[in-house]
Amino acid sequence: MPQPPEPSSTIVMHADAMAEVVHRLAQEIVGGNPDVEKVVLLGILRRGRPLADRLAAHIKEMTGISLPVGSLATTLYRDDLRAGMGHAQIGLAGTYFDFPIDDMTIVLVDDVLAAGRTIRAAMDEVMDYGRPARIQLACLIDRGGRELPIQPDYLGWTVAAGPREYVSVRLVELDGEDAVLLIPHPYKFGSGEASP
Amino acid sequence: MMTPVRTWNRKDLIGIEELSRPEIELILDTAPQFVAVSARESGIKKVPLLQGRLVVNWFYEPSTRTRTSFELAAKRLSADTLSIAASASSSVKGESLHDTLANIEAMHSDIIVLRHYYAGAPHMLAKRHASHIINAGDGRHEHPTQALLDAYTMLDHVRTLRGDRHATLDGLRVALIGDVAHSRVARSNIWCLTKLGARVVLCGPRTLMPPEIGRMGVDVSYNLHEAIHDADVIYALRIQLERQQSCLFPSLREYIKLFRIDRESLKVAPPHALIMHPGPINRDVELAAEVADSSRSVVLQQVTNGVAVRMAVMHLLANQPGRRTAPAATEERAP
């Protein structure tokens, strides 16, 4: 359900810029994987999934190859849930992919990279499903604030966000528009589905 | 779409009677991802949500299905599990429930799954002890996880049928057939289904109907055809054959003739009606074999869903925010 952006937010990326960035990320994924037919894309729910679909569409255009795309929920592997600090809910939408990942190159796709804890959870989850040849990471925005030694292989933009600012990626598929906003509020935990 | 913010904040699961509709819905909506964990075709059928926690199965009555289901649920959440059978425990030496539980807790248990022949035993223990207590059936009182897995099975069916994963049980017609009076499964199901908006009709011999029907918000019929002619779900309860000795119904033959669900009686039911049973089935008593094994029967799906629903319950109880003293979180942690 599209919700209007916060009034005091700043737009840091417009739709045109986002389209360019996604196109460039697709080019870099192709460039980084000479054996591109061995690549599978796993979008981290929720906004990583539409981004993964867009990347797959671009890669199809460039190479003629349709890469398999799946969804990763990561919620069942989150460290904050496990420790009893959990605020994220285990939503209805779960991990789903119907292709084997053994010996494949998995590109994890997420909208915002921050602490890196979601990516840690995603890697653990993937490993429970099989043994990929390698795992790479593509992110639209790196907002900084890393708590784990995790870096993206393919990065859209870096946004210098302070600890009291929240980076909100809005996508046509889910929010009715393409934009990245900087919202001057501390991120509120527990505001719905796990949306790191 | 954002899901409404709902949090679980009960220490224990004792009965359905005290739960609100949103609490029941939270459990049911937490279960689907756990169904997927057990159904993984390749890879590890396990998630680390209860890693390092201790789940103790403590059963004072015989049970295969429920005990196995809880044990598997705990294992699929990566918990350590321990089973205590009452016949082998110190209770036979006269130790009280409180003392036994205090000893289990001295070994740092996190979740206690208790089945006991006295109604109220889990409630009594939950008040005095810190462990999360899950009632796995107490006397004739309640069997909450059975009702939850039954509701989940109905919900899953309705959602698949309508292609709407937010569909509810509002208006669903459920016929509960058989020995309602002695059945904790029936009691929990009645609470659960009526809270979820389903319409419940009870059917069976008069002597097997509970005295408190009037305040349960359900209809009663003593005629099987009348009860099932418009049912979306036909739920046969287990006839406890030992009841016959207490003369609550004249003969098994008469019960079978009047209340057994078979091909003949199903002729009056809608063709889409689901057949359910909590198990173990007395074949050809409550359910004819041809019905129990038919494509309309979802008794094995109930068993499959039971593991996932119990995983959801254990996760909600043991992983709720603020319940455990977790290491201090960094303020303003980036999302």
Side-chain angles (χ1 to χ4, degrees), chain B:
Chain B
M1 197 152 75
M2 301 284 273
T3 48
V5 177
R6 294 175 301 186
T7 50
W8 182 266
N9 42 34
R10 286 177 192 273
K11 180 173 84 68
D12 314 286
L13 178 67
I14 305 300
I16 302 290
E17 183 177 2
E18 57 265 28
L19 299 185
S20 66
R21 178 171 178 157
E23 285 176 306
I24 296 170
E25 288 175 335
L26 175 59
I27 297 171
L28 300 181
D29 286 346
T30 303
Q33 288 210 41
F34 292 122
V35 174
V37 170
S38 294
R40 285 178 187 174
E41 279 173 22
S42 60
I44 300 165
K45 294 187 182 66
K46 226 178 215 246
V47 290
L49 283 170
L50 288 188
Q51 208 164 52
R53 311 287 188 93
L54 177 58
V55 176
V56 178
N57 275 317
W58 188 18
F59 277 61
Y60 277 84
E61 281 184 344
S63 159
T64 309
R65 193 174 334 252
T66 305
R67 193 171 44 78
T68 314
S69 179
F70 270 110
E71 184 161 347
L72 212 49
K75 289 192 152 105
R76 294 210 168 134
L77 291 170
S78 306
D80 296 319
T81 61
L82 202 65
S83 282
I84 302 174
S87 57
S89 78
S90 301
S91 64
V92 296
K93 299 181 188 168
E95 190 178 44
S96 77
L97 279 182
H98 282 304
D99 284 340
T100 309
L101 182 49
N103 278 275
I104 296 172
E105 288 194 316
M107 293 180 263
H108 299 287
S109 57
D110 295 285
I111 296 177
I112 307 290
V113 179
L114 176 66
R115 166 165 291 186
H116 202 278
Y117 40 80
Y118 284 140
H123 175 70
M124 178 191 83
L125 290 173
K127 276 193 301 185
R128 276 214 356 217
H129 295 267
S131 296
H132 302 283
I133 309 270
I134 301 176
N135 179 5
D138 61 331
R140 292 183 198 170
H141 175 227
E142 285 225 39
H143 189 354
T145 56
Q146 178 71 44
L148 291 165
L149 75 90
D150 290 335
Y152 181 82
T153 304
M154 295 180 209
L155 198 58
D156 182 48
H157 193 78
V158 165
R159 287 176 172 174
T160 311
L161 212 66
R162 298 194 196 147
D164 171 10
R165 71 177 184 191
H166 297 282
T168 68
L169 295 187
D170 285 296
L172 192 82
R173 288 159 307 191
V174 182
L176 281 178
I177 317 291
D179 181 359
V180 178
H182 301 96
S183 172
R184 56 191 173 211
V185 171
R187 196 160 281 105
S188 288
N189 258 300
I190 291 168
W191 289 121
C192 189
L193 292 168
T194 51
K195 281 169 197 268
L196 294 174
R199 220 199 68 198
V200 178
V201 56
L202 311 179
C203 178
R206 271 171 209 275
T207 46
L208 297 181
M209 290 295 129
E212 71 270 29
I213 288 175
R215 25 179 209 91
M216 294 185 109
V218 294
D219 296 324
V220 188
S221 167
Y222 301 105
N223 177 294
L224 183 63
H225 286 191
E226 187 184 282
I228 66 174
H229 81 276
D230 64 348
D232 299 304
V233 177
I234 300 169
Y235 193 112
L237 295 161
R238 186 176 129 77
I239 285 291
Q240 289 154 304
L241 295 171
E242 57 276 15
R243 303 279 172 223
Q244 209 200 329
Q245 282 144 24
S246 43
C247 299
L248 285 168
F249 51 96
S251 78
L252 210 52
R253 264 182 64 195
E254 192 197 82
Y255 180 87
I256 290 169
K257 195 166 155 233
L258 295 174
F259 297 107
R260 183 175 76 171
I261 311 297
D262 50 29
R263 215 177 268 156
E264 196 53 38
S265 52
L266 277 181
K267 280 182 184 161
V268 300
H272 70 267
L274 286 187
I275 309 294
M276 297 178 66
H277 191 289
I281 300 175
N282 296 308
R283 271 178 184 262
D284 293 321
V285 179
E286 312 100 33
L287 279 185
E290 82 246 11
V291 173
D293 302 330
S294 73
S295 60
R296 304 168 64 158
S297 154
V298 290
V299 293
L300 293 179
Q301 273 148 268
Q302 289 172 267
V303 177
T304 303
N305 293 336
V307 176
V309 167
R310 290 176 174 121
M311 288 168 81
V313 167
M314 288 187 193
H315 160 67
L316 288 171
L317 289 181
N319 282 332
Q320 56 193 303
R323 187 66 75 176
R324 266 161 64 96
T325 40
T330 322
E331 279 292 302
E332 314 303 341
R333 219 164 58 106

